[in-house]
């Protein structure tokens, strides 16, 4: 029988990354280390071949490229529609 509900999660243990921000008209690049993230999601498949997904994503890092301790964290929510295909 088809599975109509699905719960899933993911955890990234460690990583590096970066972003560019604009302050007072000047672009500043920020690189960071000690990055980790958590993703929790739920999916509902009520129509054939179409799934509605909801995810909660949390990112945080604790060190910049120079080794300074920083504490940055952000999160967002994602609502999407997908076409799950099993290969």
């Amino acid at each position: 029988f088809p599975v109509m509900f699905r719960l899933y999660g993911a955890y990234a243990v460690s990583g590096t990354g970066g972003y560019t921000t604009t302050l007072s008209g000047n672009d500043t690049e920020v690189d960071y280390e000690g990055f980790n993230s958590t993703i929790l999601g739920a999916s509902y498949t009520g129509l054939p071949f179409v799934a509605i997904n909801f995810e909660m994503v949390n990112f945080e890092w604790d060190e910049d490229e120079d080794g300074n301790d920083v504490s940055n964290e952000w999160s967002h929510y994602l609502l999407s529609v997908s076409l799950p295909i099993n290969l």
Side-chain angles (χ1 to χ4, degrees):
F1 69 95
V3 176
M4 294 182 70
F5 293 100
R6 182 173 68 115
L7 298 175
Y8 55 93
Y11 181 74
V13 177
S14 180
T16 60
Y19 64 92
T20 302
T21 185
T22 303
L23 297 173
S24 301
N26 297 322
D27 289 341
T28 303
E29 290 188 22
V30 178
D31 293 323
Y32 51 85
E33 298 179 3
F35 170 82
N36 63 53
S37 68
T38 305
I39 300 172
L40 298 174
S43 179
Y44 172 71
T45 306
L47 300 171
F49 305 113
V50 177
I52 299 171
N53 312 297
F54 176 75
E55 292 184 358
M56 297 181 299
V57 183
N58 182 40
F59 298 100
E60 62 184 58
W61 71 90
D62 57 7
E63 188 176 301
D64 66 9
E65 65 183 350
D66 298 326
N68 300 318
D69 287 337
V70 295
S71 179
N72 291 300
E73 181 176 334
W74 76 89
S75 61
H76 67 268
Y77 301 98
L78 175 67
L79 183 63
S80 64
V81 177
S82 63
L83 179 69
I85 299 174
N86 294 327
L87 300 177

